[in-house]
Amino acid sequence: MAISAEPSSSLSFTSSSNISNGSVSHKLSSASEVLPSLEVLSLNKLSSNLELLLVDSSFDYSDAEVVVEGIAVGIHRCIFASRSRFFHDLFNKNKGDSEKQGKPKYCMSDLLPHGKVGYEAFLVFMSYLYTGKLKPSPMEVSACVDNICAHDACRPAINFSVELMYASSIFQMPELRRLLNFVGKAYVEDVIPILLVAFHCQLSQLVDQCVERVARSDFDIISLEKEVPYEVVEKIKLLRVKSVYNDEPNVDAVDPMHEKRIRRIHKALDSDDVELVKLLLSESDITLDEANALHYAAAYCDPKVVSEVLSLGLADVNLPNSRGYTVLHIAAMRKEPSIIVSLLTKGAHASELTSDGRDAVSICRRLTRPKDYHTKTEQGQESNKDRICIDVLEREMRRNPIVGDASTSCQTIADDLHMKLLYLENRVAFARLFFPTEAKLAMDIAHAETTSEFAGLYVSKGSNGNLREVDLNETPIVQNKRLRSRMEALMKTVEMGRRYFPHCSEVLDKFMDDDHNEMLYLEKGTLDEQRIKRMRFMELKEDVHKAFSKDKAEFNRVGLSSSSSSSSLKDGLKFKVGKL
């Protein structure tokens, strides 16, 4: 007798009297292979069905809500309780009151003893809870807005994984932990949030890995004491002492009295007491720079305190600390616009690089999520600080891309000014080439017509240009004064161009940033190289003309002439400048 199952099951049952033992063995083996695949199919189907509860609004049968970052998320208590012991205990505790009060509501901040779980991280956690599948991290919250970043260890990627780690640990779903891979690749300051979540969630292996990484770095003890629990700081100190003992010094010996006086200054800053800071400075030989007081204030104090310390005029705003970070770098890490603006106003150099080659803009971009950068601020709401910080720093870089140091020698200043002038003259030379009339107007307004001929295009014709000329009778001081005067006129020309031809200026900025100045030498190289250069040159020219059309359209909207070469545009510009 043979009984066949439904065709879709791919299973068959046959009487043993009609088959040999070998055939029975073969059939059983086939059945055992099919059963796991059936189980997988069933689980996948179950997962897809449960996912409908999350993605299809017509399946909204939620019986409770969790409020995350002000957004109410509907949940199904039976699924949460069956998947997580934490929620089972939570719902069981409030079981008696749930029917009387209607749909219960839970606030995420009340559920967490430490850390944070954001809206997007909770949705990913919830999706795993329902389906057993871990969704990819949403790019808008797990990537930064730095275009050259791989997003494998930037702060948003780390922060999102930290949130999932807190959810995994507190809500008792340990399989979601995945932070070990970040520790070796991240900047040391980005290891700190990983260290904190590992400490709070009692993940000893991850704690040890983070402690070792920080101990081998130049992360200063004062910052560690502000950001990391006491027992972790002690572990790091012990490891550093051992490394010094083993002839691997990574920190300098500290004078206890000197350190004590520095800490007093920091405590005064913590108390917002700048008058006490002044008193402590007068009573000891410690300076604000030695205490890195401005760095400390920019990292941890109220913006008003930073402004007050700056007003003392006793600190070098561009001084790098032991890690090679200036105050502006620290402010960029904090992403506080008022502090950044205060520092720039006092002469902070936006182009200054850290020891690992980052400027303030790249630091800020690497810390900013696309969600925060692109958020539109509604009227009456607080401004988007993330975007403001980046915009302010980028504007400063465009305004003054190469900033010098007034404390350097005359010869160094002269050499540096030559480099700045070369950049500015090449930039203005391209402006004159693409739209000569408009460039001349900007030069006239900036009184740049008295400067020497621009270097860039004339160098390509075989001339050395005035940047290369040497007057043996000119003293370094006179030369410095001449170069500075010339540079100021050129910078004012660029500013006028940005003010009245913003779209064209953006194209030129990108062109100069991409370092395509080799197109100045169109007649050099092989025939193929010359052809490629000319093609790129024409593409750039087309981009500039498109941008100029946008500028003209804006001029028309404000009542200026649409004729780019007419005298009426010059008169309009002069009138507008006179009104400013």
Side-chain angles (χ1 to χ4, degrees), residues 316-321 324-330 332 344 347-363 393 396-397 400-406 416:
D316 181 359
V317 73
N318 291 300
L319 177 74
N321 62 11
Y325 290 176
T326 67
V327 186
L328 190 60
H329 295 146
I330 301 297
L344 293 174
H349 298 166
S351 59
E352 198 75 30
L353 300 179
T354 63
S355 55
D356 52 15
R358 294 179 291 160
D359 57 25
V361 176
S362 62
I363 289 174
L393 289 167
E396 177 67 15
M397 289 288 284
N400 197 3
I402 308 173
V403 183
D405 185 352
D416 194 31

Side-chain angles (χ1 to χ4, degrees), residues 405-502:
D405 185 352
S407 64
T408 55
S409 67
C410 289
Q411 185 57 48
T412 303
I413 290 174
D415 293 341
D416 194 31
L417 286 177
H418 276 91
M419 182 174 64
K420 296 177 191 176
L421 282 168
L422 183 60
Y423 172 90
L424 291 168
E425 292 198 14
N426 281 340
R427 193 188 187 289
V428 176
F430 274 104
R432 290 180 64 187
L433 178 66
F434 293 129
F435 37 97
T437 305
E438 291 71 31
K440 188 176 185 306
L441 287 176
M443 291 168 60
D444 289 344
I445 295 169
H447 303 292
E449 69 278 5
T450 58
T451 63
S452 303
E453 288 181 329
F454 301 99
L457 295 178
Y458 292 92
V459 170
S460 67
K461 295 181 180 180
S463 170
N464 288 330
N466 286 319
L467 286 180
R468 307 293 185 185
E469 292 180 1
V470 177
D471 185 351
L472 297 178
N473 296 322
E474 188 177 45
T475 65
I477 295 176
V478 173
Q479 183 191 48
N480 177 37
K481 184 177 180 180
R482 174 176 61 83
L483 292 176
R484 281 194 177 279
S485 174
R486 185 174 169 192
M487 186 183 69
E488 288 171 5
L490 289 173
M491 288 178 65
K492 192 173 181 182
T493 299
V494 173
E495 280 298 305
M496 291 301 104
R498 288 201 176 104
R499 179 174 297 177
Y500 298 109
F501 310 103

Side-chain angles (χ1 to χ4, degrees), residues 503 545-555 557:
H503 298 289
H545 281 303
K546 288 179 181 178
F548 185 63
S549 297
K550 294 181 182 179
D551 288 332
K552 285 198 296 182
E554 292 185 4
F555 290 156
R557 285 197 294 271

Side-chain angles (χ1 to χ4, degrees), residues 369-403:
R369 307 182 303 177
K371 175 184 177 180
D372 301 323
Y373 182 78
H374 297 295
T375 296
K376 293 183 179 179
T377 304
E378 300 295 335
Q379 187 174 3
Q381 292 184 349
E382 187 176 352
S383 300
N384 184 343
K385 288 187 176 182
D386 299 87
R387 176 144 198 161
I388 290 175
C389 290
I390 294 172
D391 287 350
V392 166
L393 289 167
E394 287 185 338
R395 193 178 302 120
E396 177 67 15
M397 289 288 284
R398 289 194 299 268
R399 187 187 71 83
N400 197 3
I402 308 173
V403 183

Side-chain angles (χ1 to χ4, degrees), residues 147-163:
N147 294 329
I148 65 173
C149 180
H151 310 306
D152 57 349
C154 58
R155 180 61 75 87
I158 290 174
N159 285 347
F160 187 79
S161 292
V162 163
E163 291 179 17

Side-chain angles (χ1 to χ4, degrees), residues 10-11 20 22 36 48 89 117 139 141 198 203-204 231 275 295 344 346 350 438 442 449 478 518-519:
S10 301
L11 289 176
S20 65
S48 299
D89 295 340
V117 177
M139 290 297 290
V141 291
L203 307 173
S204 57
E231 50 264 53
E275 289 300 319
H295 292 81
L344 293 174
K346 291 294 184 178
E438 291 71 31
E449 69 278 5
V478 173
E518 73 276 3
M519 276 190 277

